[in-house]
Amino acid sequence: MAPDETLDAIEDAYRAVNHAHAVLARCLAELVVSTDFAEYPYLGDEVGALLSISSRKASTLINHAENLASRPAVLAALEEGRIDQGKALLIVNQLEPLTAVHAEIVEAVLVEYARTHHYSRIRQHAQRLIAKIDPEAAARRHEEKKRTRRVEKLNLDDAMCALRFQFTALQGALVWDRIARGLDDERTMDQRRADVAFDLLMGKETGAPQGEVKVLVTLPATTLMGMDQEPGMLAGYGPIPADVARDIAAGGTWKRILTDPVTGVAVDVGRTNYRPSAALADLVRARDVTCVAIGCRQPAHRCDLDHCEPFDGTNTVADDLGAKCRRHHVMKHHTRWKRTQLPGGIHIWTTPMGRTYVREPEPIADPAPPF
């Protein structure tokens, strides 16, 4: 097959996989309905024996099936191949704290949004909607999840192990910024972070550059003043409850960011005490939020600022600059991937196989209503 036909075949195959996941979910949900109450706890053993998988894995499949069957619109989108199983389960999970009426409203919006957006964008969009439609549910869910914070040790092969920390998003951002200050030596970035983290946990001198750890939070002035409960935006994570954002802001250093009232995208930043070049960098990073490559979620404040067109002495302007993580910066300069930039932070990527994808800027504030 020609490369273009191969890409079409990949897309068709992925839709078929999604359809199969939906069929499996429907069958498992029907099995649950027909199972006696006393035998339900052992249904995983029945399915596990049938499929030659562990009863634990089978029980997970059954649980996923029940959750999907509870949201017919989500299951239908999965069956039609419009979304994949990961997106479907994400949407179902995000709807849990909402009332039946609110869940139905948000479900329809998320199913349509999920069709053309990546997993993390869907999660952020869902949390913004939930915080807007039911702020108390968002705050309640955060408090419930905060109580599950923990540290886990997972044994791995070859005399290795993994420590997994579950923090609040703010705690995680602060810790990550601290351990990211690795030394510039022959170690990889991952190795440096692991070594710095170990030294910190053991109370040793890390040798890494010191300094105040920083997080970037955006929230409307009305939320800061307590006039509403609009969510804040934590860089590298996404929406956080208004109360959490206000607590962070209480001890923070502020910079004014103006957003387009129609799109909610950053268009200007305050320039007090900043050289114009620093203000321009602030604007581009506030507008782009993350690396502008398709699907990349590396926070913009950890990215390079790259010209779309080769520097000519006059094009160091917002409409020719984009945040790129180091990997995608190298990709743009050393492969056949091409990027075109339109005003307002719209990036058009053309792949080596000729497919074109548009990366639109993420709003950091809610757009004004259309009336």
Side-chain angles (χ1 to χ4, degrees):
M1 289 188 290
D4 205 53
E5 293 176 334
T6 301
L7 290 177
D8 289 337
I10 291 172
E11 188 175 23
D12 291 342
Y14 195 60
R15 288 182 179 275
V17 170
N18 297 338
H19 175 78
H21 278 306
V23 171
L24 176 62
R26 288 193 187 279
C27 292
L28 289 172
E30 290 177 8
L31 183 63
V32 169
V33 172
S34 63
T35 299
D36 292 337
F37 180 78
E39 296 176 352
Y40 175 79
Y42 309 100
L43 193 56
D45 296 271
E46 171 87 29
V47 174
L50 174 69
L51 302 179
S52 298
I53 60 177
S54 69
S55 60
R56 183 174 182 177
K57 183 174 181 179
S59 295
T60 298
L61 291 176
I62 293 168
N63 179 255
H64 288 171
E66 291 182 280
N67 289 337
L68 290 170
S70 70
R71 307 305 320 181
V74 175
L75 185 54
L78 177 63
E79 191 166 24
E80 294 166 9
R82 289 183 283 133
I83 61 175
D84 62 25
Q85 186 186 46
K87 291 180 179 181
L89 292 172
L90 169 65
I91 294 172
V92 171
N93 177 261
Q94 293 295 320
L95 297 176
E96 281 184 7
L98 298 175
T99 65
V101 174
H102 286 161
E104 187 172 349
I105 294 171
V106 175
E107 179 183 21
V109 174
L110 291 182
V111 166
E112 178 59 26
Y113 188 84
R115 188 177 61 83
T116 55
H117 290 82
H118 298 279
Y119 187 94
S120 57
R121 288 283 290 268
I122 300 165
R123 180 183 63 81
Q124 291 186 8
H125 192 61
Q127 292 184 355
R128 287 182 73 105
L129 285 173
I130 292 170
K132 194 172 184 65
I133 200 170
D134 190 350
E136 292 184 0
R140 184 172 63 251
R141 186 164 175 165
H142 173 69
E143 290 301 318
E144 291 172 356
K145 290 295 179 68
K146 188 162 68 172
R147 287 194 287 271
T148 68
R149 62 191 183 277
R150 60 185 180 272
V151 179
E152 297 176 305
K153 178 177 175 288
L154 307 175
N155 292 328
L156 306 175
D157 294 335
D158 305 315
M160 298 293 288
C161 79
L163 288 179
R164 185 166 64 188
F165 297 80
Q166 183 164 313
F167 295 135
T168 65
L170 172 60
Q171 290 173 326
L174 291 170
V175 169
W176 185 252
D177 189 76
R178 182 69 179 86
I179 67 173
R181 299 165 183 262
L183 300 171
D184 186 12
D185 53 32
E186 71 280 358
R187 293 173 295 176
T188 67
M189 179 59 76
D190 285 338
Q191 290 169 347
R192 294 199 295 267
R193 286 173 178 149
D195 293 345
V196 169
F198 176 77
D199 288 343
L200 286 171
L201 289 171
M202 298 302 294
K204 298 180 179 180
E205 173 60 47
T206 68
Q210 300 298 304
E212 183 182 6
V213 294
K214 297 184 295 184
V215 295
L216 303 179
V217 178
T218 304
L219 73 161
T222 50
T223 302
L224 178 63
M225 293 184 288
M227 297 170 60
D228 56 43
Q229 294 295 308
E230 295 292 328
M233 293 290 289
L234 177 62
Y237 176 78
I240 56 176
D243 287 342
V244 176
R246 277 193 288 266
D247 287 343
I248 298 172
T253 300
W254 282 94
K255 174 177 288 294
R256 172 181 57 84
I257 299 179
L258 299 180
T259 58
D260 186 310
V262 176
T263 64
V265 174
V267 294
D268 194 14
V269 296
R271 286 171 167 77
T272 304
N273 299 325
Y274 282 83
R275 300 186 309 274
S277 58
L280 177 60
D282 286 344
L283 170 58
V284 172
R285 291 192 167 103
R287 180 199 66 198
D288 292 343
V289 182
T290 66
C291 170
V292 299
I294 302 298
C296 185
R297 304 304 298 169
Q298 179 77 334
H301 67 277
R302 297 200 183 282
C303 293
D304 302 329
L305 294 186
D306 181 43
H307 285 87
C308 181
E309 299 296 331
F311 177 63
D312 63 7
T314 65
N315 60 337
T316 301
V317 295
D319 284 341
D320 195 67
L321 290 172
K324 291 196 194 70
C325 69
R326 187 55 54 88
R327 176 174 181 270
H328 288 119
H329 193 166
V330 171
M331 179 188 80
K332 182 249 185 179
H333 285 286
H334 298 287
T335 72
R336 291 183 296 148
W337 282 78
K338 303 297 181 184
R339 177 174 71 94
T340 302
Q341 186 165 338
L342 302 180
I346 298 173
H347 300 268
I348 302 174
W349 289 89
T350 302
T351 75
M353 293 189 180
R355 296 295 176 104
T356 298
Y357 302 95
V358 178
R359 194 276 193 186
E360 296 183 351
E362 300 180 36
I364 62 172
D366 286 323
F371 51 79

